[in-house]
Amino acid sequence: MKLTDEERAMLAGEFGQPCKWAIEHMMQVGRLFDAEDFVPVSQAHMMADPESLGDAGVRFLEEQAAGGGRVRIPMITDPRGVDLSYYKELGQTEDMANLERRTIAACGKLGILMTDTCINYQTIMPPVRGDHVAFGDTGVVIYCNSVLGAYSNFEGGPSALAAGLTGRTPRYGLHLDAKRRGTRRFVVRHQPRGLTDWGILGGIVGRASGSYWQVPVIEGIEHAPSSDDMKHLGAAMASYGSTPLFHIVGVTPEAPMLAAVFDGTPPPATEITETDYRDFQGSFGGRGEKVDVVVFAAPQLSLIEMSRVAELLDGRHIHADTAMIVCTSPPVAADCDRLGLTARIEASGAKVLRGTCFYQQYAREMGEANGWRRLLSNSTKIVNIIGGYGYQPSLASMEACVDSAVAGEIV
């Protein structure tokens, strides 16, 4: 790879051992993907929950911090594995909490801002069109690429840390304009209504695309989606298809018209009908069955979603045999406290978790500790993931999820 003078100095160890490790790591990644050089990045976002890191990963972070490592650009974090104010009630152990505390301490020494969120684009400092960043969480990446027009690949934990320590990432994949052109084409014949429909649309498109290197282009959307709509669309698409970028004609910034995102004649289109939506949701089933836990997470909820959950729960109580978990970011949680939304939600018996996401916080162990098996959510992403943690997931709208939590069974 071609290196600048500054990058050669990093490689020679002039910026310390952690930076030397980081540039060497990024060079290996770059060679794997035939990158010719590095691109400077303005932000890094790292997935580093302790469940994924394990003790070895946390010790690595501690070693980098002890070696004088310090990030060179603003660097933030994905949801954590433990809400330290709630872990005992959820059946999480002291060992889990201690690993969380060690991670927080190590990241603090490295200069990493513990934002603990996968909705940083709704809460902190969203990148702008053409901005090169090194982001981790798949939902973060697909939103920032598609909706904001920023440039990022999916960065694994070590690569995101290396990007933070160097301010660089290899120039390959979606950092190249040529890789952002459309490769698949879909026409929507049934308009999505509500967050769950947007998630289902993302699941359908992602499943049909099925590759990191496919760029789906969607036509037929008749009204401007909200930020939350796009959040659920992208998170589901990335979950089902490993998709990091999509275009919606007339909506997303790189697709003002169909011809803008295809080279030459566009490929034949795949139609998405109302039947496709019904078939997708129907595959989860569970109606009439006892529900153990209702989850609003993956992605974390915006202030608007939190307000809606509070409205739906006002004056109602969660069934004694059902739990409800609501996950949001620390900044949104602070606003919810200030506006009284947290108190309204928790008056029903639900729990508001700050800076965590359900499937990243030892979901299997929590399920075993609490006897949870049947899980209901309005998130298409989480119902795709959570089966691997021993749950039986079902998918429903936010309104139906709340009604089910009150009834104790899926309505």
Side-chain angles (χ1 to χ4, degrees):
M1 293 179 66
K2 300 173 186 172
L3 301 182
T4 65
D5 290 344
E6 187 177 27
E7 290 157 359
R8 278 192 288 274
M10 293 180 191
L11 190 61
E14 295 178 19
F15 291 83
Q17 185 60 32
C19 191
K20 176 178 171 59
W21 163 81
I23 198 76
E24 287 175 342
H25 175 85
M26 297 301 259
M27 289 178 69
Q28 292 181 42
V29 174
R31 289 179 185 127
L32 179 66
F33 289 103
D34 296 325
E36 294 185 357
D37 61 1
F38 288 109
V39 57
V41 289
S42 64
Q43 297 183 57
H45 172 271
M46 179 172 66
M47 292 186 69
D49 57 281
E51 182 180 5
S52 301
L53 285 167
D55 184 70
V58 176
R59 276 192 282 110
F60 180 76
L61 285 176
E62 291 170 335
E63 289 166 4
Q64 299 304 308
R70 191 78 180 172
V71 296
R72 298 164 61 87
I73 56 175
M75 184 162 182
I76 57 179
T77 57
D78 214 34
R80 315 300 317 140
V82 174
D83 180 334
L84 291 170
S85 64
Y86 254 134
Y87 70 97
K88 292 180 181 176
E89 291 183 45
L90 295 171
Q92 296 172 320
T93 67
E94 203 60 41
D95 285 345
M96 295 173 186
N98 285 334
L99 203 58
E100 181 73 55
R101 295 183 182 105
R102 286 172 54 196
T103 306
I104 293 170
C107 286
K109 289 180 181 177
L110 288 164
I112 297 170
L113 301 169
M114 301 295 291
T115 53
D116 306 347
T117 181
C118 63
I119 57 168
N120 54 303
Y121 49 84
Q122 289 185 316
T123 54
I124 299 170
M125 187 171 71
V128 298
R129 185 175 182 180
D131 203 0
H132 290 267
V133 295
F135 283 174
D137 181 283
T138 55
V140 170
V141 170
I142 193 170
Y143 189 101
C144 291
N145 272 321
S146 311
V147 182
L148 304 180
Y151 290 16
S152 181
N153 290 308
F154 290 153
E155 300 280 4
S159 294
L161 176 61
L165 291 169
T166 61
R168 309 285 199 281
T169 196
R171 194 191 306 270
Y172 75 95
L174 297 181
H175 291 287
L176 303 171
D177 288 336
K179 296 294 185 183
R180 302 175 68 86
R181 310 292 291 161
T183 64
R184 294 289 306 268
R185 183 180 169 202
F186 298 87
V187 176
V188 172
R189 299 300 186 196
H190 173 75
Q191 297 301 305
R193 302 183 184 91
L195 300 179
T196 304
D197 266 7
W198 280 98
I200 290 173
L201 177 59
I204 293 170
V205 171
R207 181 182 282 168
S209 298
S211 166
Y212 181 84
W213 302 108
Q214 296 285 350
V215 179
V217 178
I218 302 170
E219 297 172 85
I221 296 298
E222 295 175 352
H223 61 277
S226 71
S227 175
D228 285 333
D229 293 336
M230 297 294 262
K231 178 173 71 174
H232 280 262
L233 173 76
M237 199 184 303
S239 178
Y240 277 86
S242 297
T243 308
L245 168 67
F246 64 87
H247 301 298
I248 299 180
V249 176
V251 174
T252 56
E254 294 174 57
M257 59 189 70
L258 191 64
V261 287
F262 283 112
D263 297 318
T265 304
T270 299
E271 294 193 348
I272 299 174
T273 67
E274 184 176 6
T275 301
D276 296 315
Y277 288 75
R278 284 202 305 267
D279 290 348
F280 188 99
Q281 184 166 4
S283 66
F284 289 99
R287 188 181 294 270
E289 293 186 17
K290 174 182 178 295
V291 59
D292 298 313
V293 58
V294 174
V295 174
F296 292 117
Q300 292 173 331
L301 274 64
S302 70
L303 186 62
I304 305 304
E305 290 173 291
M306 293 293 285
S307 175
R308 181 60 179 150
V309 172
E311 289 175 4
L312 292 169
L313 285 170
D314 275 342
R316 306 172 79 182
H317 294 279
I318 304 302
H319 192 279
D321 295 328
T322 301
M324 178 184 284
I325 305 294
V326 185
C327 297
T328 192
S329 69
V332 169
D335 277 342
C336 288
D337 291 348
R338 179 173 57 86
L339 297 170
L341 299 178
T342 307
R344 288 166 58 191
I345 292 171
E346 295 199 325
S348 72
K351 292 180 172 60
V352 174
L353 303 187
R354 301 149 193 266
T356 64
C357 187
F358 188 82
Y359 77 94
Q360 289 175 281
Q361 56 181 27
Y362 305 94
R364 180 180 297 280
E365 290 82 355
M366 279 198 306
E368 292 171 352
N370 293 284
W372 295 338
R373 185 161 178 79
R374 174 61 76 180
L375 178 148
L376 181 65
S377 180
N378 74 332
S379 164
T380 309
K381 176 179 178 178
I382 204 167
V383 298
N384 183 40
I385 294 170
I386 207 67
Y389 292 80
Y391 291 82
Q392 289 182 313
S394 292
L395 180 64
S397 68
M398 179 181 283
E399 291 77 7
C401 284
V402 170
D403 289 345
S404 299
V406 171
E409 64 178 38
I410 301 176
V411 299

